[in-house]
Every structure is written in C-alpha cells, then in structure tokens.
Amino acid sequence: MTGRVTLLGAGPGDPELLTLLGKRRLAEADVILYDRLVNPSLLAFSKSTAQRVDVGKLPHFHKVKQTAINQLLVDYAQAGQRVVRLKAGDPYVFGRGGEEAQFLTANHVPCEVVSGLTSAITGLAAVGIPITHRDYASSFHVITGHHQSGGRQLDWDNIAHQEGTLVFLMGMAALNDICTQLQANGRAATTPVAIIQWATQWRQRLVTGTLADIEARVIAAKIGAPALIVVGDVVKLSRELQPTQPLQGQHVLLPYSAHSRLAPALQDQGATVDFFDREVPAAIDFTLPDLSQVATLVVTDGRAYDYFLKRLLAAGQDQRSLAHLRIVAANSAVAKHLRRQGLLADDVTATPQTAHALVIGEAGRMPTGGLATYRLTTVATPITWELAEFQAIIFPSSQSVHDFHQDLHGAQLSLIAMGPRVQAALQERGATAQLISTNREDILAFLKGVKQHGQDGNSIS
C-alpha cells in the first residue's frame, strides 16, 4: 500500500504561524524530511515515534542532493509511510516544491501541498514593514538571490525598473552584487534597504540603510544568512511600525503541557517559548488487592489514582467500592485532583499512618508494600536547542525538574521555580532559582528585566 507525501510549508519560523492543517499533518507523520532553515521547535508537533531525517542544505553545499531527496520521498511513501517534506516558508516559493511534486506524480505517489506563510511577506510584517502601502508601493516583486539555472544572470534592467517593493530571498551571499546592479541599472543610491535576519523568531534582527551603505552596515552588525533583503520606500515605515513587545527577543524554555496557560501569556508579550519533553506515564498491569482488608487509601499523586480508578472500572467496580476507606492525599494538589474526580480527601498529609493502608503511586517511588499503578518513561527528542540559546527556564513543579535531563549545574541562564518545593528540587540538582513565585505577573516582570544575550531582536538603522 502506497503512503502519502505532504509538501508542507513551515512558514518563516514562529511555530504559531504554522497552519492548522500543517500542524495536523506533522502530528500524523511517520517520517519527516526537514530542511536546515526549519525551526527545530516545529518538530515538537510530531509524534515521538516519527522518523526525522535531516536533509538540510547549506549555501554552496548540499547535505543531501535534491535527486536523493526526491527518491527518499518515493521510497518512504511506497513503503506505506505518511511522509512530510517540511520546508521553510512555502514549498512553491523558491523551495523546489514544484520539482518534488513533479517527481512524485511521475512515480504515481499521492502528493499534496500544504502552503506555508512565505517570509517574503510575514518577515517584513514582523519588523513593521508593510510590503505594500498606498503612499509608497502598489506592487511587490519576490526575487531569488541565486543565479538562474545554467549560470544565467537575473534581468537587472527589468528588476531595477519595477515599481514597488523588491524582496530578495536567499540573497545575502550576493548582497554586494544586488546593490551594485540595482544602482547600475537606474535605482538611486539613496533607495532604502532593510535586512531582516531570522524573521519572526526570537533571534530576529533588523538593519536598515540604503543601497549605498547597507553592505557596510550589515558587516558592522555581523548579520548574515538567513536573511531577507527588502528594497523600497516601505522600509521607511519600520521606524514607526516596528513591534515593541516587552518580551521581544526572549527565548524561554518550559516543560511541555497541552494545557499550559503560561506559554500563551509569554507569547502574547513577545517571547518565544520552546518546550522540553516530559516523562511519559504508562500504566502498569497490577492486581487489585482485596479492598475489604484495607482501612485507608493513601494517594501519593493524582495520576496514580487515575490509573487505579481505570483498573477498578475494568474489574467491574467503581468508586463506591472505596466508601468504607479513609482517603488520604499526600498534598493539597492531590486533594484537588481527587476532588475533581468526585472524591473528598479525609486528610492531607505527606506522612500518613500506613497501618492497614494501601499506598498507590509511581513505580520506583513507592514504600515497601505500596502499589505502583504506573511508571514514567523518558521520550528523547533528537533535536534540541543548546541551553545557551535561552534566557530562562521555568519549572512549574518538582516533577518538571526531575523530567529535565540536561545538566543545570553552572547553567548561564535564569531558572524560575514556581514554589518552594520546586526550589528545593533545583537545589538538590545543584542549581539555584533566580525567582521563586507562582504568580504569572511576577514571572513576566522578572523576564522583562532579564538581560538579553547578544542583540537578539535589535533594530539597527
């Protein structure tokens, strides 16, 4: 049975700019072939069992040749796999998606294209440059910065005389040639130019100038590829319209949670949020004890009770079987969890009397005679950012500290502990929290004061 290939546009980099269909296709994929410029954070949308193949290309060096990529797509699909070819921006905007689609069609492989937001438009908007404006430009032209196939040069006379905004993609290696040719073919040396590096990402940077001086400004600012080159009067609007969100340029790491409220709060303030994997719970096959011989049920964590309840239901029983038991919760969080399940704890204590008691919890953390209802297993994500790329890590629970498997000792970034228990868990690992608070506003205020690394998010005019 032949699988399916999706040519998926990853957009300019911000994971929240991925389309809904794109996110679903990533979650369904058995195999993902991704490019160098794709934000690694997007791979968090894929399932842990998906095979991830780096086919990234560098300027003047193809890690995997295009012919080999084409054949890989066919081979995986013919093996019955659901394949995603994840490409920066849009597959059909200088992404060679058309060539891949032709090859797949010729080999009778089902293929679909899921468009992505092209950086030629979204990258400009991210720094306050509208690609068109009634007072400055009524059209725009997107041009590849590479030479055309066969070594043919771009038609500079035609390009230079186009009305409106010019956007060059993949053109940083040819910046000098672009500026020289535009001036030689009639564009004024004073024409405004913007260079936007890593558009829409936390490391986004902007340099503005003119055709005459932009190259010197780029060298002084140490900006390189990947970057957009924007030529035209709309560049002037960046001073007026550039977003100035308070956490712009901040890169924050959180434990993954499908229901996090903190992550969108940070993103709405301009921060980029990435996630580290939590350990994944898995049920343990256990035998229900004779509850008539038990006087007390001690619940060490809410997840343990959930698995216990499922086993109870599978045995044809429900919570009425617990009516004669004294229910003890190990802490207030467990008590709240039980309450949501319709069960009120008789006591909340970390050191319950365990005589004639059934203690349930996680494997490896149980006292002698306790009943483990589940265990945690680590799911490793092969692509991660280096810790040096972050300004802060937020730990909402002591379990999240336990789940974090990189070395925290001597880490050169801020650690935020959401509560004293979390602070204690960090101290056990030899790390110190710079902020201890469960208040979201305290966290936002702290991050606003964190000194940013380098010049991420800076605008240089």
Side-chain angles (χ1 to χ4, degrees):
M1 177 180 175
T2 301
R4 176 193 67 210
V5 174
T6 299
L7 304 179
L8 172 57
D14 183 344
E16 290 204 301
L17 295 179
L18 186 70
T19 63
L20 291 174
L21 179 56
K23 184 177 180 180
R24 177 155 65 90
R25 288 292 185 255
L26 275 177
E28 296 167 345
D30 300 309
V31 182
I32 301 168
L33 282 70
Y34 60 93
D35 281 344
R36 176 181 69 95
L37 297 182
V38 167
N39 186 343
S41 304
L42 289 164
L43 297 175
F45 294 137
S46 63
K47 56 190 179 185
S48 59
T49 56
Q51 181 179 351
R52 298 162 181 176
V53 183
D54 180 1
V55 295
K57 300 174 183 178
L58 296 168
H60 312 298
F61 173 74
H62 287 189
K63 185 170 184 178
V64 179
K65 292 185 179 297
Q66 186 63 50
T67 53
I69 293 173
N70 293 348
Q71 192 59 53
L72 281 172
L73 294 174
V74 170
D75 292 345
Y76 281 123
Q78 290 181 341
Q81 303 292 296
R82 290 168 295 185
V83 185
V84 166
R85 174 73 173 101
L86 188 60
K87 307 168 78 70
D90 183 275
Y92 279 2
V93 180
F94 304 137
R96 304 190 74 169
E99 298 169 45
E100 291 170 348
Q102 284 179 300
F103 191 82
L104 291 165
T105 300
N107 284 273
H108 311 289
V109 172
C111 169
E112 67 171 349
V113 177
V114 177
S115 297
L117 297 174
T118 175
S119 61
I121 296 175
T122 53
L124 277 63
V127 296
I129 300 175
I131 198 167
T132 63
H133 188 286
R134 287 181 61 183
D135 297 333
Y136 298 99
S138 59
S139 65
F140 64 87
H141 312 272
V142 182
I143 305 154
T144 175
H146 291 166
H147 292 316
Q148 293 182 342
S149 59
R152 291 178 295 140
Q153 295 293 314
L154 297 171
D155 185 350
W156 287 110
D157 181 62
N158 179 41
I159 293 171
H161 288 88
Q162 292 291 342
E163 188 279 331
T165 307
L166 305 180
V167 181
F168 292 87
L169 304 184
M170 304 174 293
M172 287 302 288
L175 179 61
N176 177 271
D177 189 43
I178 290 170
C179 294
T180 299
Q181 291 288 357
L182 288 175
Q183 291 178 79
N185 285 274
R187 283 269 176 152
T190 55
T191 302
V193 181
I195 307 296
I196 310 162
Q197 185 181 36
W198 295 116
T200 78
Q201 300 186 36
W202 60 274
R203 48 191 172 173
Q204 171 182 291
R205 297 180 68 194
L206 168 68
V207 174
T208 59
T210 65
L211 285 175
D213 66 12
I214 192 62
E215 185 179 19
R217 288 174 176 266
V218 162
I219 292 171
K222 297 180 180 179
I223 284 186
L228 303 163
I229 303 170
V230 187
V231 180
D233 288 339
V234 290
V235 170
K236 299 174 184 177
L237 292 167
S238 64
R239 288 181 177 272
E240 177 185 350
L241 301 179
Q242 187 175 2
T244 55
Q245 294 174 294
L247 294 183
Q248 184 173 335
Q250 290 280 8
H251 196 196
V252 182
L253 188 60
L254 289 174
Y256 178 75
S257 171
H259 307 291
S260 172
R261 291 189 224 172
L262 181 58
L266 292 167
Q267 290 164 329
D268 288 345
Q269 294 283 314
T272 295
V273 177
D274 273 303
F275 302 96
F276 63 86
D277 282 330
R278 303 299 304 267
E279 291 189 326
V280 178
I284 292 175
D285 186 16
F286 60 90
T287 302
L288 278 173
D290 183 354
L291 295 177
S292 67
Q293 302 300 310
V294 178
T296 303
L297 176 66
V298 180
V299 184
T300 61
D301 68 75
R303 185 181 286 145
Y305 182 75
D306 292 343
Y307 285 111
F308 180 80
L309 183 57
K310 287 179 181 179
R311 185 68 186 85
L312 199 65
L313 292 170
Q317 304 178 59
D318 59 23
Q319 293 187 118
R320 287 174 295 182
S321 304
L322 311 177
H324 67 288
L325 298 178
R326 181 170 176 265
I327 307 298
V328 176
N331 54 54
S332 59
V334 176
K336 289 179 181 177
H337 184 90
L338 293 176
R339 186 184 184 91
R340 288 194 294 269
Q341 293 282 24
L343 196 65
L344 297 176
D346 297 299
D347 195 7
V348 180
T349 175
T351 56
Q353 298 296 319
T354 56
H356 303 293
L358 172 62
V359 183
I360 61 174
E362 175 197 345
R365 294 191 174 189
M366 297 296 301
T368 302
L371 178 64
T373 65
Y374 75 99
R375 64 166 46 92
L376 292 174
T377 58
T378 301
V379 177
T381 301
I383 293 183
T384 57
W385 296 98
E386 297 292 332
L387 287 188
E389 305 283 0
F390 293 92
Q391 280 75 50
I393 309 176
I394 301 175
F395 295 98
S397 66
S398 55
Q399 180 62 50
S400 67
V401 177
H402 175 74
D403 290 346
F404 190 77
H405 295 290
Q406 294 195 49
D407 184 15
L408 286 170
H409 185 71
Q412 299 297 307
L413 74 172
S414 297
L415 304 180
I416 297 174
M418 297 184 69
R421 290 178 182 271
V422 187
Q423 178 192 22
L426 285 170
Q427 288 173 337
E428 288 177 6
R429 294 191 54 177
T432 301
Q434 279 71 46
L435 175 70
I436 302 100
S437 177
T438 59
N439 188 295
R440 190 186 310 170
E441 294 306 316
D442 289 346
I443 295 172
L444 293 175
F446 175 80
L447 289 173
K448 290 173 187 176
V450 171
K451 184 179 180 181
Q452 296 183 12
H453 295 243
Q455 298 184 21
D456 298 329
N458 282 3
S459 175
I460 304 167
S461 299

